[in-house]
Amino acid sequence: NEGNHETQKIPVRDDGKNHAEADSAKSPREMTKDELLEKLDDALKVADKNYDLYVRSQAEMENIKKRQKREKEDWLKYANESLIKELLPSLDNLEKAVAHANNDDSGDALKQGVGLTLKGLKDALAKSGLEEVPARGEAFDPCFHEAVSQIEDDQVEPGTIVEELQKGYLLNKRLIRPAMVVVS
């Protein structure tokens, strides 16, 4: 209510004095020099306090920005750590297979070691969300396949993939490499 002054709140100063009481008692022209200096001193203290709070909040904002930048850099630096840990056993197996092949003339042992390593590598990548794009025998889909050649083949329907030259892969259902195929 604009006309009802009894319900309006009166602001309170830091020293607990009521503005209306302090200001209605004397106007600045009626105040003594000491009273004016005291009032100015109070206002300067409040201004200094507010400026200090402003400077501190600005410094805190800068610290937050720096911390977020550092955390983002660390996250990017170590984001694929779990994938690397999953791949390390495959790397170990490859090294063992190569060392074994150098010590022994057994091609079967090398073949078996590389086969096991390939399986371990595929399993580790599958745990991280990698899956192969199905190709051979499938209908050609330009969203998942890249046709590099066409051949006539009466044994399959036109538009069917008859040969896969390079596998395609999805990472968490997103295509990261299309399959290179030959289409009938």
Side-chain angles (χ1 to χ4, degrees), residues 90-101:
S90 297
L91 180 65
D92 294 338
N93 290 338
L94 272 175
E95 288 175 345
K96 287 176 188 174
V98 169
H100 185 68

Side-chain angles (χ1 to χ4, degrees), residues 159-177:
T160 302
I161 297 170
V162 292
E163 189 178 347
E164 181 179 47
L165 302 175
Q166 184 180 56
K167 290 185 182 206
Y169 292 98
L170 300 168
L171 180 60
N172 296 318
K173 306 294 182 197
R174 179 192 289 175
L175 183 70
I176 58 172
R177 184 174 85 182

Side-chain angles (χ1 to χ4, degrees), residues 100-160:
H100 185 68
N102 289 337
N103 294 336
D104 194 352
D105 290 333
S106 174
D108 290 336
L110 179 62
K111 187 176 176 181
Q112 185 180 17
V114 172
L116 289 172
T117 302
L118 179 62
K119 182 187 179 315
L121 181 61
K122 283 184 174 183
D123 290 346
L125 291 171
K127 284 182 187 176
S128 295
L130 188 74
E131 42 184 311
E132 292 179 7
V133 172
R136 185 178 292 262
E138 300 285 323
F140 176 76
D141 184 350
C143 295
F144 296 102
H145 306 116
E146 181 179 338
V148 293
S149 171
Q150 276 187 318
I151 61 168
E152 286 190 35
D153 190 343
D154 296 335
Q155 297 175 353
V156 294
E157 293 286 319
T160 302

